[in-house]
Amino acid sequence: MPTETFEFQVEARQLLQMMIHSIYSNKDVFLRELISNASDALDKLRIEALRDDALGADVSDLHIALDADKEARTLTVRDNGIGMSHDDVVRLIGTIARSGTAEFLEQLKEAKAAGAAEGLIGQFGVGFYSSFMVADEVTLVTRRAGEDKGTRWTSTGEGTYTVETLDEAPQGTAITLRLKPEDAEDQLFDYTAPWKIKEIVKRYSDFITWPIRMVTGEQENAEKKEGEEGGEAAEPETLNSRKALWARSRDEVSDAEYHELYKHISHDWADPLEIIQVRAEGTFEYQALLFLPSHPPRDLFAQDSKRGVQLYVKRVLIMEDCEALIPEYLRFVKGVVDAADLSLNVSREILQQDRQIQLMHRRLAKKVLATIREMKSARPDNYAAFWREFGHVVKEGLLGDFDNRDAILAVASFASTHDPEKPTTLAEYVERMKEGQKHIHYMTGESRAAIENSPHMEAFREKGVEVLILTDPVDEVWVGAVPPFDGKELRSIAKGEADLDSGDEAEEAKAEREQRREEYAGLLTWMAERLGDDVKEVRLSSRLTVSPACVVSDAGDVTPALQAMYRAMGQELPTSKRILELNPGHPLVEGLRRAHAERADDPELPGTAELLYGMALLAEGSQLGDPARFTRLVAERLERTL
């Protein structure tokens, strides 16, 4: 039959030259693309055979075969799928510009500059041309099911290709690559080596539906030996497990199989805490198998940590760590998402804008949170272990995931003064609130001990009012960002006024406070003037029962701890002065009031006021503005007592 020679179009030549001159550092993906194309061809044949009884195609043993010849340095990827006609070859293989090559080239240049070129190779149906990364010549032999004649397509990628009609050819498609010499520096491996082929198949194509077979070197030796002895030749080895566990129902898969897959994906040594299976059907179909780890990875808070789940399209691995599918506050979740209709366009930038990816992102986040909630009620021990390890990360979602904020608050639990061991949920806190209590009270700090011993806790402890104990750094941020829970506002006991009285008690307390204010008016005004550089106000406290003084922030001000967090991140917030509260029932404060009333010009009094303020700062764990002066004042007072 005559052989026709064609020229590639300009854009096609540009693409081939980029492929040939190693635009991709990871050249292994060429085999992923060829196997993916072969799998699609097998899928199409199976569907076509069901539709057309007269097709006459053999569908008894659909498979993909790999044949590596070390001496000839060739690798063949063969399938017995739908195949292509002569016109299909010219239309689909010869003229790739119709698949959007110009757009692909533009994105490829941008991705190359950004170091993300590997993510684009499956885009626009040009995966076949990745063969030229590793081959000096590519030959394709194909015959469409139901037709008599076949077609051979050959090219070195230099500008032309030939198409020849064959009288005989097996059904399906065989692509033979004449491989380039091995070059370790250029990441060009020996793709005739069985171990390398197995490695690539295991990584990218392990869950392909169809068997991927290859006769390995060991089997060839066995075949020769058995042939000499008159025995039967060894069967080719199936390289892929074909166990797409996410595509099987839960009762068909053992926990051991799930655990094995989790360890393979996460490189973790321990079994997962929870297994989450998702199946979405309808206009957009996908399946997911997610895992909640039993302990956090070492790089959970590292900026360069790898996060996300594996993204498959029709059981072909497209991306190892697809960040766009899982929100950052669930970055510990591992697993697999397999989409049926998603384009192979896997640019990370484009994925973040893809409507289908966004839809999966929302559904997967909701499913994970629903599982945590179900775990809390049905498996409390598992929940306790999970929240202990990952609760501080999940709470990050309260700052950014507004759609799921209520769901996050529903699964969150917090330490509180109600029980020294058992944490509580906000719903449980609200159920226990005292009659007349208007707010959910909390305090943030470095440790439970520091919070429990804080002067701010004194009146709450005396009146038996429960306080949430929040010690995670993220607690400083989210508590001021969330709306009221069940109509109850979250309020810090270290900010604003402590209004703990209700009913008749409130009226009596108000009258008593007014009387006290009149008695202490002179002292409060004087101290406010003396400490004006450090505090915005000096007032009497309703939260202190034992300590002489404490420092609180105004209701709308940023706390010192939050200011320190922003400062550590390189963001300086305006410094706001705080409020000094005095306990009128403390002998030291009462003595200072009398001393000021009797001898307002006593030079010792300003030092006493400074000491009182410094003691309040130290009691809450804050730093002194001038530690040396504070120490000197203390030393002088102690000296006079001896």
Side-chain angles (χ1 to χ4, degrees):
M1 290 293 178
T3 301
E4 301 174 274
T5 301
F6 300 88
E7 285 193 4
F8 287 111
Q9 294 183 348
V10 174
E11 290 172 341
R13 284 202 299 272
Q14 290 177 355
L15 175 62
L16 285 168
Q17 288 305 306
M18 294 178 77
M19 290 289 184
I20 291 168
H21 292 95
S22 304
I23 59 168
Y24 293 103
S25 58
N26 180 16
K27 297 178 177 60
D28 292 358
V29 293
F30 85 92
L31 188 54
R32 176 193 75 177
E33 293 301 313
L34 297 184
I35 290 175
S36 176
N37 291 344
S39 177
D40 285 344
L42 294 169
D43 288 336
K44 290 175 182 176
L45 177 63
R46 181 177 58 179
I47 294 171
E48 194 67 24
L50 291 173
R51 290 176 178 170
D52 185 1
D53 294 335
L55 187 64
D58 182 8
V59 294
S60 60
D61 182 27
L62 299 181
H63 65 278
I64 301 167
L66 306 180
D67 183 10
D69 188 327
K70 197 171 187 67
E71 294 183 3
R73 287 204 55 74
T74 61
L75 175 64
T76 301
V77 179
R78 183 182 295 108
D79 69 75
N80 55 350
I82 191 68
M84 289 182 283
S85 66
H86 181 280
D87 291 342
D88 289 337
V89 172
V90 174
R91 179 171 57 88
L92 298 175
I93 303 296
T95 313
I96 58 175
R98 66 185 298 278
S99 298
T101 310
E103 186 181 350
F104 174 75
L105 289 170
E106 186 62 33
Q107 292 192 18
L108 199 54
K109 291 174 184 176
E110 295 176 3
K112 186 180 180 185
E118 280 83 352
L120 285 170
I121 195 166
Q123 187 177 354
F124 302 117
V126 297
F128 165 76
Y129 284 87
S130 62
S131 305
F132 288 97
M133 292 191 298
V134 300
D136 288 325
E137 182 181 72
V138 178
T139 300
L140 178 147
V141 175
T142 184
R143 177 173 67 83
R144 184 172 179 82
E147 295 190 358
D148 297 329
K149 296 186 181 300
T151 304
R152 178 188 288 122
W153 180 98
T154 306
S155 178
T156 59
E158 293 298 326
T160 62
Y161 58 92
T162 63
V163 179
E164 177 185 1
T165 299
L166 305 177
D167 283 334
E168 292 184 2
Q171 170 193 303
T173 301
I175 300 172
T176 300
L177 313 182
R178 195 180 71 205
L179 297 167
K180 296 178 181 179
E182 186 177 355
D183 186 349
E185 290 186 4
D186 194 31
Q187 301 284 308
L188 193 60
F189 302 103
D190 180 7
Y191 293 110
T192 65
W195 70 268
K196 183 61 181 176
I197 295 173
K198 288 181 179 180
E199 176 188 80
I200 297 172
V201 171
K202 185 70 176 176
R203 180 181 183 190
Y204 292 112
S205 308
D206 194 43
F207 305 115
I208 290 284
T209 307
W210 311 106
I212 303 171
R213 300 170 182 164
M214 183 179 73
V215 176
T216 63
E218 295 82 358
Q219 289 169 319
E220 287 178 342
N221 293 335
E223 184 178 329
K224 291 177 182 177
K225 184 176 180 181
E226 291 178 2
E228 291 170 358
E229 298 172 356
E232 294 183 2
E235 290 292 324
E237 180 182 354
T238 299
L239 304 185
N240 58 325
S241 69
R242 304 172 64 194
K243 291 183 179 180
L245 302 186
W246 55 87
R248 297 158 63 185
S249 63
R250 188 69 180 264
D251 55 3
E252 294 178 1
V253 184
S254 68
D255 284 346
E257 289 177 296
Y258 281 130
H259 295 171
E260 182 183 354
L261 175 61
Y262 165 74
K263 292 174 182 177
H264 172 71
I265 293 171
S266 66
H267 307 293
D268 192 3
W269 51 268
D271 292 337
L273 195 63
E274 286 288 324
I275 301 166
I276 306 172
Q277 199 159 20
V278 183
R279 185 187 299 269
E281 298 177 344
T283 55
F284 176 53
E285 297 184 0
Y286 66 90
Q287 297 166 324
L289 186 60
L290 306 179
F291 301 93
L292 299 184
S294 58
H295 62 97
R298 288 190 296 270
D299 61 350
L300 184 62
F301 291 100
Q303 289 187 346
D304 58 348
S305 65
K306 291 184 177 180
R307 65 178 184 85
V309 296
Q310 292 186 349
L311 174 61
Y312 283 73
V313 175
K314 297 179 182 176
R315 300 193 185 182
V316 177
L317 179 63
I318 300 303
M319 187 179 294
E320 287 274 12
D321 304 289
C322 186
E323 298 177 358
L325 285 171
I326 293 290
E328 188 171 2
Y329 68 91
L330 297 177
R331 58 186 175 274
F332 50 82
V333 173
K334 300 297 180 184
V336 171
V337 176
D338 189 356
D341 304 316
L342 191 68
S343 166
L344 292 186
N345 172 3
V346 291
S347 160
R348 291 182 185 273
E349 294 75 16
I350 293 176
L351 271 180
Q352 292 172 352
Q353 302 168 9
D354 186 277
R355 187 184 64 82
Q356 293 176 332
I357 290 290
Q358 292 175 354
L359 179 64
M360 287 193 288
H361 174 105
R362 290 194 296 270
R363 288 182 177 174
L364 293 178
K366 289 183 182 298
K367 182 64 176 179
V368 171
L369 293 173
T371 300
I372 297 172
R373 187 169 186 171
E374 186 266 337
M375 178 170 59
K376 183 179 183 304
S377 59
R379 297 175 297 284
D381 290 343
N382 280 15
Y383 167 80
F386 168 81
W387 194 257
R388 185 170 56 250
E389 299 289 359
F390 298 104
H392 53 304
V393 185
V394 175
K395 285 186 287 186
E396 293 176 11
L398 294 169
L399 299 172
D401 191 352
F402 304 119
D403 292 339
N404 289 315
R405 184 178 274 170
D406 291 342
I408 296 172
L409 284 176
V411 303
S413 59
F414 313 93
S416 90
T417 54
H418 175 71
D419 191 315
E421 301 294 334
K422 184 181 178 182
T424 184
T425 64
L426 293 183
E428 292 168 343
Y429 179 103
V430 171
E431 287 180 5
R432 291 192 297 266
M433 284 175 59
K434 290 183 172 295
E435 185 178 352
Q437 184 178 336
K438 301 175 183 177
H439 308 296
I440 298 173
H441 297 288
Y442 72 88
M443 185 173 178
T444 58
E446 293 186 357
S447 66
R448 183 182 186 110
I451 293 174
E452 288 183 329
N453 295 323
S454 169
H456 302 98
M457 288 285 294
E458 292 174 2
F460 292 85
R461 184 185 301 111
E462 183 179 84
K463 292 182 177 293
V465 176
E466 183 177 356
V467 178
L468 299 180
I469 298 175
L470 309 180
T471 56
D472 294 327
V474 70
D475 293 331
E476 289 284 354
V477 188
W478 72 260
V479 286
V482 298
F485 178 85
D486 197 14
K488 309 294 182 181
E489 180 183 343
L490 276 75
R491 179 167 291 188
S492 171
I493 67 170
K495 295 179 71 172
E497 295 274 6
D499 184 13
L500 296 179
D501 297 309
S502 60
D504 294 338
E505 290 182 356
E507 292 298 324
E508 293 176 7
K510 183 178 180 181
E512 184 179 347
R513 281 198 299 271
E514 289 298 328
Q515 181 181 347
R516 291 274 193 166
R517 283 197 189 100
E518 293 179 8
E519 295 175 6
Y520 279 81
L523 176 66
L524 297 178
T525 302
W526 173 77
M527 287 189 68
E529 293 174 354
R530 297 297 307 179
L531 302 174
D533 291 341
D534 299 309
V535 302
K536 67 162 59 173
E537 181 186 352
V538 180
R539 68 190 183 197
L540 297 183
S541 177
S542 59
R543 75 187 82 221
L544 296 175
T545 61
V546 178
S547 301
C550 70
V551 182
V552 300
S553 298
D554 219 345
D557 287 348
V558 177
T559 63
L562 189 54
Q563 286 182 338
M565 285 179 59
Y566 278 106
R567 195 176 301 119
M569 294 185 291
Q571 302 179 40
E572 198 67 39
L573 297 180
T575 303
S576 55
K577 294 180 182 179
R578 302 177 71 200
I579 299 168
L580 176 63
E581 289 192 349
L582 304 181
N583 178 6
H586 194 280
L588 174 58
V589 176
E590 172 62 22
L592 182 58
R593 183 193 67 80
R594 287 197 308 268
H596 178 265
E598 296 170 0
R599 50 184 194 280
D601 57 350
D602 188 338
E604 295 291 328
L605 294 183
T608 304
E610 287 185 49
L611 283 173
L612 197 58
Y613 173 61
M615 290 162 55
L617 289 175
L618 290 174
E620 71 167 12
S622 294
Q623 293 184 346
L624 297 170
D626 189 349
R629 175 170 173 75
F630 181 84
T631 304
R632 187 166 63 252
L633 289 172
V634 172
E636 290 173 357
R637 298 299 193 279
L638 290 174
E639 183 181 345
R640 287 197 289 272
T641 64
L642 299 176

